[in-house]
Amino acid sequence: MDFEFALWQMLYLFTSPQKVYRNFHYRKQTKDQWARDDPAFLVLLSIWLCVSTIGFGFVLDMGIVETIKLLLWVVFIDCVGVGLLIATLMWFVSNKYLVKHRSRDHDVEWGYAFDVHLNAFYPLLVILHFIQLFFINYVIVLNSFVGYFVGNTLWLIAIGYYIYVTFLGYSALPFLKNTVVLLYPFALLLLFYLISLAMGWNFTQALCSFYKYRVK
């Protein structure tokens, strides 16, 4: 497993995600497949999940058993479970509606769709499960405009980045058309963000309450 290359990908998913997908092009040319054949990225992502979830458990003042339950929930539901659903949905939609000319060579691999999800999930994980931890107890959970503004803005950035990296993943495939439609959820996301500020909704506080409820 090439952990150095996997770390390079994780860095560039923040600074220049287009470079990550250029490597997928190279893999297709050399190994005739778009999906990753090295589990190093998945292993490092799993480590990030464990570390960030332990940090989340510490911030929420959870015990060891509760933190383990939270870790299992985050890994198998938030990452893998939701990822399987999103990857399968995107695989079906892209093959049915976005392929220019149908042929065996012009087919979105399910493994590639799952890789795109993992690529998009990693920045979201770092923003919501690492960076956000430093603001939860001191800013976000306070019943004030500043609290839910900071928290909801982090959610906006995280989900927005997920949408953008997902768009880049599918637009990198030369046999797909109209991939710009994958950016349309940005408008809905921004509208929902503005409504949340107007209504005083605090997404992070809701997430913390949900996590505490799930580990009881």
Side-chain angles (χ1 to χ4, degrees), residues 11-86:
L11 172 64
Y12 275 97
L13 282 172
F14 276 102
T15 60
S16 182
Q18 297 93 334
K19 291 184 179 180
V20 176
Y21 288 114
R22 289 194 200 116
N23 178 260
F24 281 79
H25 270 282
Y26 176 75
R27 184 182 301 108
K28 176 63 176 177
Q29 294 170 355
T30 57
K31 299 183 180 180
D32 195 31
Q33 71 176 50
W34 290 97
R36 288 187 178 96
D37 57 353
D38 184 349
F41 185 91
L42 184 58
V43 171
L44 291 180
L45 180 61
S46 300
I47 294 174
W48 258 106
L49 278 168
C50 293
V51 173
S52 63
T53 303
I54 291 172
F56 222 109
F58 176 78
V59 168
L60 297 183
D61 198 26
M62 293 182 179
I64 296 177
V65 175
E66 288 81 5
T67 301
I68 292 174
K69 290 180 180 179
L70 177 62
L71 176 61
L72 294 175
W73 177 272
V74 170
V75 171
F76 293 106
I77 303 298
D78 290 353
C79 181
V80 177
V82 174
L84 292 174
L85 289 175
I86 293 177

Side-chain angles (χ1 to χ4, degrees), residues 7 14 33 36-37 39 47 51-52 65 80 88 99 122 126 135 157 166-167 187 194 196 207:
L7 285 171
F14 276 102
Q33 71 176 50
R36 288 187 178 96
D37 57 353
I47 294 174
V51 173
S52 63
V65 175
V80 177
T88 301
V99 173
Y122 172 68
V126 173
F135 301 95
I157 296 171
T166 298
F167 159 73
L194 294 175
S196 74
L207 177 69

Side-chain angles (χ1 to χ4, degrees), residues 186-202:
F186 264 122
L188 184 61
L189 175 64
L190 182 59
L191 177 62
F192 194 61
Y193 168 73
L194 294 175
I195 292 175
S196 74
L197 295 183
M199 300 296 292
W201 298 336
N202 191 323

Side-chain angles (χ1 to χ4, degrees), residues 56 128 132 136 140-142 144-145 147-159 188-211:
F56 222 109
L128 296 182
Q132 186 173 227
I136 288 180
I140 296 176
V141 297
L142 302 179
S144 65
F145 174 79
Y148 56 79
F149 173 77
V150 172
N152 292 3
T153 300
L154 287 173
W155 278 86
L156 174 69
I157 296 171
I159 298 176
L188 184 61
L189 175 64
L190 182 59
L191 177 62
F192 194 61
Y193 168 73
L194 294 175
I195 292 175
S196 74
L197 295 183
M199 300 296 292
W201 298 336
N202 191 323
F203 298 145
T204 301
Q205 195 170 46
L207 177 69
C208 293
S209 298
F210 175 74
Y211 276 166

